[in-house]
Amino acid sequence: MITNQSDKNIIVNRILEIRKKIEYAALKSGRKLDEINLMAVTKNVSADLVNVAINSGVKLLGENRAQELNSKYYDYNLDNVDIHFIGHLQKNKIRTIINKVSMIESVDSEDLAREIGKHAIKNDKIMPILLEVNIGMQQTKTGFYPDKVLDHIKIISNIPGVKIRGLMVIPPKENVMYYFEKIRDIYIDISHKKIDNVSMDFLSMGMSGDFEKAISCGSNIVRIGNLMFGSRY
Ligand SMILES: *Cc1c(COP(=O)(O)O)cnc(C)c1O
């Protein structure tokens, strides 16, 4: 990828636009801009351009692949910036990321939660996690089925070394509002149950094409790739 000054300016302007849209969507649902976390999704983006986003005030990065994170990590300007893992995580890669990320949003099995917990304890920490929900029950996607989430939460909340902080979702592209509303209801329902060692603080949903709709349904982490960095697939 070529990185020149005009690329950088484009990213800075896109971030301003995205912030305006987030603020407007948040206001419409009675919230403020700073209640919504804007995540820059960095897959296939050079560390150089990610740093442009950081310099524009982005405080949260989303990483899909352990290998890519490990290769770019030391080139990021990470002062006051958090990294969340958002991709399918293989158990043998946990070790390589456990001290680089402040949350793993893509926990999609009890086994993975157990393994993360073990590594966290070895490193004297408790890793905050979100459970990924396969809200559209799509065969091609990972994540817990919506009608099983509560059962899994009850089990995972007892695993040492991890703490459930909310839910993450990648809905089907069609009828996205239907799925956003469905996950919002599940999220609120679980919040009301006040399960020990579970705090429903984060609902991570919404990407470039649908983040405003996600905010209208209660999202407080929006994960933006293309709209910030341009198409790169
Ligand atoms: C790539 C990706 C995104 C960002 O998608 P865009 O459409 O590029 O904004 C968000 N979440 C996850 C899990 C992703 O893999």
Side-chain angles (χ1 to χ4, degrees):
M1 169 169 283
I2 304 158
T3 313
N4 56 36
Q5 196 53 43
S6 73
D7 272 347
K8 293 185 179 178
N9 291 338
I10 289 169
I11 290 173
V12 172
N13 285 325
R14 284 187 185 137
I15 291 171
L16 285 172
E17 284 303 310
I18 292 166
R19 279 232 171 74
K20 274 189 218 156
K21 288 181 177 163
I22 291 175
E23 182 163 31
Y24 187 63
L27 282 176
K28 277 203 292 188
S29 57
R31 291 183 292 163
K32 298 196 182 97
L33 174 64
D34 62 10
E35 291 172 47
I36 318 288
N37 296 284
L38 168 58
M39 171 191 284
V41 176
T42 66
K43 59 178 181 266
N44 302 329
V45 181
S46 68
D48 207 20
L49 290 183
V50 174
N51 287 334
V52 173
I54 292 172
N55 288 338
S56 303
V58 169
K59 298 270 177 248
L60 179 60
L61 308 182
E63 298 285 334
N64 287 77
R65 298 185 204 98
Q67 222 167 351
E68 189 176 343
L69 168 59
N70 287 317
S71 73
K72 294 194 291 192
Y73 183 77
Y74 296 100
D75 295 323
Y76 287 156
N77 298 332
L78 288 175
D79 207 22
N80 259 317
V81 173
D82 278 323
I83 301 180
H84 289 183
F85 199 83
I86 60 169
H88 183 64
L89 181 57
Q90 289 168 297
K91 286 179 210 139
N92 63 355
K93 298 280 167 52
I94 298 170
R95 181 182 53 80
T96 70
I97 64 149
I98 192 89
N99 289 317
K100 298 189 178 87
V101 303
S102 64
M103 189 183 284
I104 298 173
E105 294 197 5
S106 42
V107 173
D108 55 11
S109 74
E110 288 174 7
D111 266 3
L112 179 63
R114 246 175 234 112
E115 214 49 37
I116 293 169
K118 279 186 205 160
H119 285 275
I121 285 169
K122 258 189 229 160
N123 287 277
D124 276 328
K125 60 172 75 178
I126 292 172
M127 180 58 74
I129 59 172
L130 304 186
L131 300 197
E132 182 175 345
V133 180
N134 185 351
I135 192 68
M137 308 205 347
Q138 293 163 288
Q139 307 260 307
T140 51
K141 285 204 179 126
T142 54
F144 300 105
Y145 277 4
D147 56 336
K148 296 280 182 338
V149 183
L150 185 59
D151 292 341
H152 290 291
I153 286 185
K154 286 179 181 160
I155 292 166
I156 294 172
S157 63
N158 287 304
I159 297 174
V162 296
K163 176 159 171 117
I164 299 172
R165 298 290 304 273
L167 305 176
M168 187 270 244
V169 70
I170 309 171
K173 293 219 162 31
E174 320 253 296
N175 291 325
V176 75
M177 269 313 265
Y178 169 79
Y179 293 107
F180 283 160
E181 284 170 2
K182 194 166 161 187
I183 194 74
R184 177 194 56 198
D185 292 347
I186 293 171
Y187 178 79
I188 291 173
D189 197 44
I190 294 169
S191 308
H192 288 161
K193 292 205 164 31
K194 302 206 185 311
I195 302 162
D196 274 357
N197 199 33
V198 174
S199 46
M200 283 284 142
D201 301 318
F202 298 105
L203 180 55
S204 174
M205 67 180 187
M207 317 201 294
S208 291
D210 54 23
F211 68 97
E212 290 148 298
K213 287 180 186 152
I215 290 169
S216 80
C217 293
S219 166
N220 56 10
I221 302 179
V222 291
R223 310 182 307 265
I224 309 290
N226 282 326
L227 198 62
M228 193 179 294
F229 297 110
S231 181
R232 44 199 200 283
Y233 310 111

